[in-house]
Amino acid sequence: MKLVFICSLLFSATLTRGFAQRDEQATGGYIQHATGSASFTRYADCSQAACGQTARGYTAAINQLAYGASAGLGAGDACGRCFAITGTGDPYSPDYQGSFKSIVVKVTDLCPIEGNEEWCGQTQSNPKNEHSQPFHIDICEDTGGADAFFPEGHGALTGTFEEVPCSEWSGSDGEQLWEGSCLKDDKK
């Protein structure tokens, strides 16, 4: 009887610790909000999206702290979320009052900290980038999103974002890029 009780207690403690570790990993110290302020830039060659799925329609990468996983660890919690984004200013031309636009993007990629410190360098100890923004959304040029969002002659903006149902996104999901841990068409 004692052995069963001890085994039951150990199983219960292991199970509880497992859930606690999974919850900790799920949030992992990443910061995700449904609304807020952000900086926006554009990038090209979006075909190998870190979320592991292609898409047709306006897509974007989000800074690593909001993405939900470190570079090279696959899809983060932000994958597949849709955001209405609106430009309100140009960090390089503060007097620019221009014609700002709003579009809806779907997160399909990661903007890693390494190599992108200016825009995607937010960390837990330093939660804002060099432009004092807690979030960064990098809009894919390949899908037309960057041309639809940025005023002519402006490739960086600040503004706001709001999570919206993906039914408001005008795109469609494409094919999976990976099968298991390999790229889909990689036969190695």
Side-chain angles (χ1 to χ4, degrees):
M1 186 72 160
K2 271 186 175 176
L3 184 59
V4 170
F5 178 73
I6 291 170
C7 287
S8 177
L9 224 99
L10 285 173
F11 176 74
S12 177
T14 302
L15 191 60
T16 302
R17 187 172 52 247
F19 284 130
Q21 285 173 343
R22 186 169 357 140
D23 287 345
E24 188 177 299
Q25 289 171 352
T27 58
Y30 296 100
I31 299 173
Q32 298 173 340
H33 294 291
T35 62
S37 65
S39 52
F40 307 101
T41 53
R42 57 194 309 148
Y43 76 112
D45 191 15
C46 314
S47 63
Q48 294 298 313
C51 291
Q53 185 168 8
T54 62
R56 289 175 270 308
Y58 301 158
T59 61
I62 197 164
N63 64 289
Q64 188 170 318
L65 190 59
Y67 179 76
S70 295
L73 294 182
D77 293 339
C79 288
R81 293 172 70 185
C82 293
F83 295 95
I85 59 174
T86 304
T88 59
D90 183 326
Y92 296 122
S93 303
D95 294 334
Y96 178 72
Q97 301 296 312
S99 63
F100 296 108
K101 302 172 188 163
S102 296
I103 63 170
V104 175
V105 296
K106 186 172 200 173
V107 174
T108 59
D109 210 351
L110 161 69
C111 183
I113 293 171
E114 188 174 334
N116 302 293
E117 292 84 358
E118 178 181 359
W119 299 102
C120 299
Q122 299 90 336
T123 63
Q124 288 179 351
S125 61
N126 189 14
K128 292 187 177 183
N129 66 17
E130 292 181 21
H131 300 279
S132 300
Q133 296 300 318
F135 295 92
H136 181 74
I137 297 174
D138 207 6
I139 304 162
C140 178
E141 292 177 351
D142 304 355
T143 61
D147 288 339
F149 184 72
F150 291 101
E152 189 174 330
H154 298 267
L157 296 177
T158 55
T160 61
F161 68 91
E162 178 180 2
E163 187 167 10
V164 296
C166 283
S167 59
E168 293 185 26
W169 176 59
S170 62
S172 61
D173 291 327
E175 65 179 51
Q176 292 291 107
L177 296 173
W178 304 296
E179 291 177 4
S181 62
C182 299
L183 290 174
K184 185 172 183 172
D185 294 323
D186 188 7
K187 303 298 182 203
K188 294 177 185 175

